Amino acid sequence: VNAIVSSNTRIVFMMAQASTSGLILREAYSQGVFGSDSGYVWFLTDAATTAMGTVLSSMTLTDPCPDCGEVADAPPAMTEAECAAAMKGAVGMSPVTDFSGMSSIYAAWTSRFASQVDTVGADPSAGGVCADAVSALSGDSGTSMTNAPMGDTCVCSSEVDSAGRPLWQLDHDGDDSTPDRCVGMAYSTGYISGYAPYAYDGIVAFAQAATVAGDGFSGGTLLETLRLNVSFEGVTGQVEFTNRDDNKGDREVGV
């Protein structure tokens, strides 16, 4: 923030997780470089815009980050009214979440995605999701819970990776004395992370380029192949990449 204050820029693009975004905006507000009347325009990415509750907590709590240092060193907590007024000086961005108008295969892909077996863990005696789950996953078809501790009332999915390690069971705190947690997906709810379609297309693009490049390719060869040879209809729309002298490697269409 000090660097922003001392610079000549009036446009700030912030890419940070929600809790960190709130801390940065709080400091910026205290230094007069964030707010509707500050003369600065802030662009916030989806990490912040899709978790505004967390952002606002970092801006309004007296001690927003106990692990960050002394409370006395933090800028003053903002009121909700100050947050609302300051946010009028920001532009929020969020990813497209429905690609049905951009891709003819999106509907079929979402159907296949939702038909996968839920991996959120289950209560072996009562059936259904684990009672002590703490994280909600909501989609078009309903809401389920995940992130439950293993125990008599919760068994995680038995799926493992190629090395035999559990895919949906996590030591969340590095403490052997506490139970692992079930961290799976509730596919049947229709919940799809906003990043999932892009990740899917990214893997397909990589696979197509690697196939053309052949065995033993280098990073440079793969990128060149990606620009010259990859073109397909993905779940996020048409996927192709630029190969102009002034721009090499950006997505050309479908965004």
Side-chain angles (χ1 to χ4, degrees), residues 8 24 45 71 75 81 85 113 117-118 121 160 168 174-175 177-178 184 200 205 224 228 239 251:
N8 292 321
I24 294 171
T45 63
V71 177
F113 192 94
V117 177
D118 287 352
V160 295
W168 308 110
D175 186 347
S177 67
T178 61
Y200 183 88
E224 183 71 11
L228 294 176
V239 178
R251 186 167 174 181

Side-chain angles (χ1 to χ4, degrees), residues 4-188:
I4 294 172
V5 173
S6 62
S7 72
N8 292 321
T9 185
R10 293 283 173 165
I11 299 174
V12 183
F13 182 88
M14 181 173 67
M15 182 177 291
Q17 293 298 322
S19 57
T20 305
S21 295
L23 296 174
I24 294 171
L25 293 176
R26 177 171 171 164
E27 178 65 35
Y29 182 80
S30 72
Q31 296 197 39
V33 294
F34 170 63
S36 58
D37 58 354
S38 66
Y40 290 76
V41 176
W42 287 67
F43 287 83
L44 313 181
T45 63
D46 61 295
T49 59
T50 58
M52 285 305 298
T54 301
V55 174
L56 294 175
S57 291
S58 293
M59 296 171 72
T60 57
L61 291 176
T62 301
D63 187 4
C65 184
D67 296 329
C68 296
E70 299 296 327
V71 177
D73 295 331
M78 298 172 63
T79 66
E80 290 187 5
E82 287 175 328
C83 291
M87 283 296 179
K88 293 180 180 178
V91 178
M93 297 175 287
S94 61
V96 174
T97 57
D98 183 353
F99 297 93
S100 56
M102 302 169 65
S103 170
S104 65
I105 66 173
Y106 178 71
W109 179 82
T110 57
S111 178
R112 293 198 308 273
F113 192 94
S115 67
Q116 298 177 90
V117 177
D118 287 352
T119 57
V120 293
D123 186 326
S125 57
V129 298
C130 302
D132 295 329
V134 296
S135 301
L137 294 174
S138 297
D140 294 339
S141 302
T143 298
S144 186
M145 302 293 290
T146 187
N147 198 20
M150 291 181 63
D152 293 338
T153 60
C154 188
V155 176
C156 300
S157 168
S158 60
E159 283 190 86
V160 295
D161 63 15
S162 59
R165 294 170 296 202
L167 283 171
W168 308 110
Q169 177 182 325
L170 177 68
D171 179 2
H172 67 291
D173 58 4
D175 186 347
D176 292 337
S177 67
T178 61
D180 289 353
R181 288 183 176 268
C182 300
V183 291
M185 280 290 298
Y187 298 105
S188 61

